[in-house]
Amino acid sequence: MNNPLNAQAINWISQHGADAAAAAKTIVSTEAIILGLSAVESGWGGGDFVTGKYNNGVPINNFFSQHAPAPNENGTVTINGNYMATYASNAASATGFDMSKAGFLITNVQNATTAATTLQNAGLYGINPDGSKVANFVSSIATTTAFIANRIPCVK
């Protein structure tokens, strides 16, 4: 825990591992993939789609950058011209991800690179505003997922 990166991952797993494990079980994926994708998409929980910055201080809890309308959402907020789903919690966000097209697309996927590539090729994640692919999206998801996967045993 003296290493800030290890501490970040271990805290992330401690806070969201149970929700990720439940989500992964539903779509037959891995806890690490769910945790890795949500860590990248949410800025480890500090991003605009999670915090209340754009929602009068009320947390948005959108850990998977789901655009509204989205499954399991409890509301909608506009952020930089995009309609984003709001969720009651990380668990609700993970359930919404599972129920979404993205969750369906990575059902039975056990490899982070395959999951990220599938989501990017479908145009759901890792896409720039001009429609081009974010060059490091797949590697970022794969690296983050591997980093988290290696630390899950520390928490369990």
Side-chain angles (χ1 to χ4, degrees):
M1 291 296 284
N2 292 333
N3 178 319
L5 294 177
N6 282 332
Q8 181 180 40
I10 289 169
N11 289 335
W12 189 252
I13 296 162
S14 296
Q15 292 169 359
H16 305 298
D19 298 336
K25 184 176 181 182
T26 299
I27 62 171
V28 193
S29 188
T30 72
E31 177 182 352
I33 290 173
I34 302 299
L35 285 167
L37 180 62
S38 66
V40 171
E41 286 298 310
S42 73
W44 294 89
D48 294 343
F49 299 160
V50 176
T51 68
K53 178 179 175 181
Y54 290 99
N55 199 28
N56 297 319
V58 177
I60 297 165
N61 295 316
N62 189 336
F63 287 81
F64 296 88
S65 303
Q66 295 279 75
H67 289 259
N72 210 41
E73 71 177 36
N74 68 350
T76 302
V77 64
T78 304
I79 301 174
N80 298 327
N82 293 302
Y83 296 103
M84 303 304 295
T86 64
Y87 293 94
S89 64
N90 176 272
S93 181
T95 298
F97 174 80
D98 277 0
M99 297 167 63
S100 74
K101 181 179 178 180
F104 174 78
L105 286 172
I106 65 164
T107 296
N108 294 313
V109 174
Q110 306 287 309
N111 178 282
T113 300
T114 302
T117 301
T118 299
L119 294 172
Q120 188 175 50
N121 286 343
L124 298 175
Y125 288 90
I127 303 298
N128 289 311
D130 68 1
S132 64
K133 292 180 179 180
V134 174
N136 68 340
F137 174 77
V138 172
S139 64
S140 178
I141 297 298
T143 301
T144 302
T145 297
F147 186 75
I148 289 170
N150 288 332
R151 281 142 188 90
I152 289 174
C154 299
V155 178
K156 303 288 179 175

